Amino acid sequence: MSNNFQSLKTPLATTPNTIQPTKLASYLDELLSVNEFQDYCPNGLQVDANTPISHIVTGVSASLALIEQAIEKHAEAILVHHGYFWKGEAAVLTGMKGKRIRGLLQHNISLLAYHLPLDAHPIFGNNAQLAHALDLTLDEALYPDEKHPIGNICNLKTPIKTTDFCQKIQQVLGKKPLHLVGGNSTLSRIGICTGAAQDMLEQAAKQGCDAYLSGEVSERTTHIARELGIDYFACGHHATERGGVQALGNYIQQNFGIKVSFVDIDNPV
C-alpha cells in the first residue's frame, strides 16, 4: 500500500490553523467519495457546533468517554469511524444519546463520522491501514463487482506459516487473535475486512482464500471455517479499526495545519 498523497486534491485554503466544520466536512466527503456509498448511517458532519476548528480529537467510536476527552483537550471537533444516527436507531435525543449530544453542543464540539467510506478508502481505509501494518498488499476485491470494495484479498509472494501470521497479528494489534483452525499450515491468499464482517468468511472461501481476517466472530463462524477449510482470525472490531481514523487525522494535520490528537478508548471487543 502506498502512502503517497501527491495524487490527492490540494486542501481548501483556510485561515491559519482553523477551518469551519462545514468546509472540512465538504472536503472530506469528496476525498472519501461519500456519495458513492449506501451506508447504515449518515457520513460526514453529524453535529455542527458552528465553531472554527483548530484541534480535532479522533477515535474509533463517539462514546461519552471520547467526548469527555475532547472536552478536556479543548478540541472543537471529533472525527470518528462510528458516529450516531444509525438505521433503526431511535430518533429522540434522550437518555444516553441525549447526554452525548448535550456534551458536544454545550462545549461547542462538532462531530464528523465516516463509516463505510473510511473502511474502503485505498489509502486511509481501515483495510488498507491494517494490511499495511501486517506487511500485506490489497490486490483484489473480495466481491469483484464492488466499485469501492469494503473487503479485500491479499496475495502473498512468499507464503507465511499460519502460526507466524497469528503472532504477527498479535504484535501489530497488541492482542492475541481468536484463531479458528481451518487446517492450513501455510497461508498465501488472505481475505481481509475489518470490523464485524465475519459473515464474509464464505465469500473469502469462494474466492480461494486459505485464510480470512476480520474483527468479530459468531458461533456459526467456527463451523464455517472448519467445513470450508479456511482459517479465520477474529482480531477485535475496535483493534482492527484504529488505523483508518488515525491515517485520516494525520493527513488533515499535515495538510491543514490543524492539531489532531488520537485517543484510544479501551475496548476489548
Side-chain angles (χ1 to χ4, degrees), residues 125-188:
N126 287 316
N127 292 337
Q129 288 296 313
L130 181 57
H132 179 65
L134 293 171
D135 298 320
L136 302 174
T137 301
L138 304 183
D139 298 312
E140 306 172 39
L142 195 59
Y143 291 87
D145 294 335
E146 284 187 334
K147 181 178 180 181
H148 300 287
I150 60 170
N152 301 90
I153 297 173
C154 306
N155 296 305
L156 282 65
K157 293 181 179 178
T158 303
I160 185 173
K161 290 182 179 179
T162 305
T163 52
D164 290 344
F165 186 61
C166 193
Q167 291 175 356
K168 179 71 172 181
I169 294 171
Q170 183 173 356
Q171 175 188 349
V172 168
L173 297 182
K175 62 180 296 181
K176 184 177 181 179
L178 173 62
H179 176 204
L180 303 181
V181 177
N184 299 291
S185 59
T186 61
L187 310 174
S188 59

Side-chain angles (χ1 to χ4, degrees), residues 97-238:
K97 187 176 179 181
K99 187 174 183 179
R100 289 174 171 181
I101 299 296
R102 285 195 303 275
L104 293 170
L105 293 179
Q106 288 176 354
H107 293 86
N108 299 314
I109 299 173
S110 295
L111 174 66
L112 298 95
Y114 294 94
H115 186 231
L116 293 183
L118 189 57
D119 285 321
H121 196 275
I123 296 176
F124 308 117
N126 287 316
N127 292 337
Q129 288 296 313
L130 181 57
H132 179 65
L134 293 171
D135 298 320
L136 302 174
T137 301
L138 304 183
D139 298 312
E140 306 172 39
L142 195 59
Y143 291 87
D145 294 335
E146 284 187 334
K147 181 178 180 181
H148 300 287
I150 60 170
N152 301 90
I153 297 173
C154 306
N155 296 305
L156 282 65
K157 293 181 179 178
T158 303
I160 185 173
K161 290 182 179 179
T162 305
T163 52
D164 290 344
F165 186 61
C166 193
Q167 291 175 356
K168 179 71 172 181
I169 294 171
Q170 183 173 356
Q171 175 188 349
V172 168
L173 297 182
K175 62 180 296 181
K176 184 177 181 179
L178 173 62
H179 176 204
L180 303 181
V181 177
N184 299 291
S185 59
T186 61
L187 310 174
S188 59
R189 187 169 167 84
I190 300 172
I192 181 172
C193 185
T194 64
Q198 61 267 39
D199 286 335
M200 292 184 185
L201 179 60
E202 289 187 67
Q203 177 66 14
K206 288 179 182 178
Q207 293 298 314
C209 296
D210 39 35
Y212 177 64
L213 181 159
S214 190
E216 297 189 25
V217 65
S218 301
E219 187 273 343
R220 60 187 172 274
T221 315
T222 300
H223 308 296
I224 295 170
R226 289 172 180 170
E227 293 175 32
L228 295 181
I230 179 171
D231 285 72
Y232 180 66
F233 299 90
C235 306
H237 194 140
H238 177 88

Side-chain angles (χ1 to χ4, degrees), residues 219-263:
E219 187 273 343
R220 60 187 172 274
T221 315
T222 300
H223 308 296
I224 295 170
R226 289 172 180 170
E227 293 175 32
L228 295 181
I230 179 171
D231 285 72
Y232 180 66
F233 299 90
C235 306
H237 194 140
H238 177 88
T240 58
E241 297 194 327
R242 290 180 296 201
V245 74
Q246 289 186 76
L248 186 59
N250 289 339
Y251 175 75
I252 292 170
Q253 182 166 273
Q254 293 167 10
N255 288 274
F256 288 94
I258 295 170
K259 182 180 179 180
V260 178
S261 305
F262 174 71
V263 176

